[in-house]
């Protein structure tokens, strides 16, 4: 009898293993959840039509940030060697040489000085007014298109919320047609539409930070222009006293 029991053990183990295998296969056939990976492109695609204006806003933001950064960075340079050269040439009353220095420098400070140099020989107030007017034009050039970046920082999140709201409306419309409230139907559609909110907020935050960062750079450049203007006017005033 013991031999019969020993012979039945392998058969029982085989039957159990077969049952487990059949059960696993049945669960898979019934649609057991499978792990899926989603790329960034898939997420963007699932965001819907609202992702098109958000994509355009992001491209405009990147272009403005790069273009303004390069422009402001070049404009903010003012070397002490340049100011010392201007001071030395003014002392010799060689105005043509000073104008040549300003042309070669080709930055807001140099262009502002050029306007003042053209007025040398006139009253001090006329020189100061000419440089102030030139400075205003240069500041306008520095701040050009920065307001557009500020607008993008404000409207990009709004576009994202509009996309989410439109998605929610569509979800409830589909529920009314199906006459069935399903967690899968709600969650599946809602996560797709919240992609637009995430994209809008990301673009808005990026543009907001860049807007204030570039404004800080502009303010530093304006401060340098004011310093250069004051030093130049002091040079002119000293020369007029010596004359």
């Amino acid at each position: 009898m013991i031999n019969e029991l020993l012979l039945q053990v392998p058969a029982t183990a085989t039957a159990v293993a077969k049952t487990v295998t059949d059960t696993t296969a049945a669960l898979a056939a019934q649609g057991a959840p499978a792990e899926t990976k989603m790329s960034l492109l898939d997420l963007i695609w699932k965001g819907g039509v609202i992702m098109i204006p958000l994509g355009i806003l992001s491209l405009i933001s990147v272009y403005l940030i790069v273009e303004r950064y390069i422009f402001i960075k070049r404009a903010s340079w003012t070397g002490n060697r340049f100011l010392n050269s201007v001071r030395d040439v003014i002392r010799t009353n060689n105005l043509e040489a000073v104008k040549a220095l300003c042309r070669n420098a080709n930055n807001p400070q140099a262009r502002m000085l050029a306007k003042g140099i053209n007025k040398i020989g006139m009253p001090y107030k006329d020189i100061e007014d000419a440089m102030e007017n030139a400075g205003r034009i240069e500041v306008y050039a520095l701040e050009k298109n920065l307001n557009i970046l500020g607008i993008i920082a404000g409207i990009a999140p709004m576009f994202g919320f509009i996309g989410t709201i439109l998605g929610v409306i569509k979800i409830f419309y589909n529920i009314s047609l199906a006459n069935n409230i399903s967690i899968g139907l709600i969650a599946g559609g809602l996560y797709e539409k919240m992609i637009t909110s995430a994209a809008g907020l990301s673009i808005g935050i990026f543009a907001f930070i860049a807007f204030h960062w570039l404004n800080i750079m502009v303010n530093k450049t304006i401060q340098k222009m004011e310093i250069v203007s004051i030093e130049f006017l002091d040079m002119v005033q000293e020369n007029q006293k010596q004359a």
Side-chain angles (χ1 to χ4, degrees):
M1 184 167 181
I2 294 174
N3 291 334
E4 290 179 358
L5 289 173
L6 291 173
L7 290 173
Q8 286 178 1
V9 169
T12 303
T14 304
V16 171
K18 186 176 184 303
T19 302
V20 172
T21 303
D22 292 342
T23 304
T24 305
L27 289 173
Q30 290 175 6
E35 185 179 355
T36 58
K37 293 183 179 180
M38 187 174 294
S39 65
L40 179 61
L41 187 61
D42 292 332
L43 284 173
I44 294 173
W45 182 258
K46 286 181 178 295
V49 179
I50 292 294
M51 295 299 290
I52 295 175
L54 286 175
I56 294 172
L57 290 177
S58 66
L59 292 175
I60 294 173
S61 297
V62 171
Y63 169 77
L64 289 177
I65 292 167
V66 173
E67 187 271 335
R68 285 291 88 191
Y69 174 78
I70 294 172
F71 183 87
I72 296 169
K73 193 68 176 177
R74 289 176 178 173
S76 64
W77 181 88
T78 302
N80 291 329
R81 184 180 298 178
F82 170 74
L83 285 175
N84 291 333
S85 300
V86 170
R87 184 181 291 106
D88 293 338
V89 176
I90 286 179
R91 285 172 181 169
T92 62
N93 291 322
N94 190 348
L95 298 183
E96 292 302 321
V98 179
K99 292 178 183 178
L101 284 173
C102 293
R103 284 195 299 270
N104 293 332
N106 192 25
N107 57 42
Q109 295 88 344
R111 287 189 288 270
M112 185 177 61
L113 289 182
K115 292 292 183 180
I117 291 166
N118 288 333
K119 298 291 183 180
I120 287 180
M122 297 183 179
Y124 179 86
K125 182 63 176 173
D126 292 344
I127 300 173
E128 187 178 14
D129 290 342
M131 294 184 69
E132 285 182 359
N133 292 332
R136 291 191 191 99
I137 295 172
E138 296 298 335
V139 170
Y140 173 78
L142 289 170
E143 295 176 343
K144 182 181 177 182
N145 293 332
L146 282 183
N147 287 334
I148 296 176
L149 199 59
I151 292 171
I152 291 174
I155 66 174
M158 295 181 186
F159 271 105
F161 291 140
I162 288 172
T164 300
I165 292 170
L166 291 176
V168 171
I169 292 171
K170 186 177 179 180
I171 289 168
F172 281 101
Y173 176 73
N174 291 335
I175 290 173
S176 67
L177 292 179
N179 197 21
N180 178 29
I181 299 177
S182 169
I183 296 298
L185 181 64
I186 296 174
L190 190 58
Y191 97 86
E192 291 180 4
K193 300 310 173 185
M194 289 186 72
I195 293 170
T196 58
S197 289
L201 284 171
S202 300
I203 295 168
I205 292 170
F206 179 67
F208 180 82
I209 293 172
F211 172 74
H212 287 281
W213 174 51
L214 291 173
N215 268 307
I216 290 171
M217 291 181 65
V218 169
N219 290 334
K220 288 182 178 179
T221 304
I222 293 172
Q223 187 178 20
K224 289 181 181 180
M225 291 171 61
E226 290 175 351
I227 293 171
V228 169
S229 175
I230 292 169
E231 290 186 2
F232 175 77
L233 290 172
D234 287 343
M235 295 177 202
V236 172
Q237 202 168 29
E238 287 176 6
N239 271 8
Q240 288 179 348
K241 288 179 179 178
Q242 290 175 1

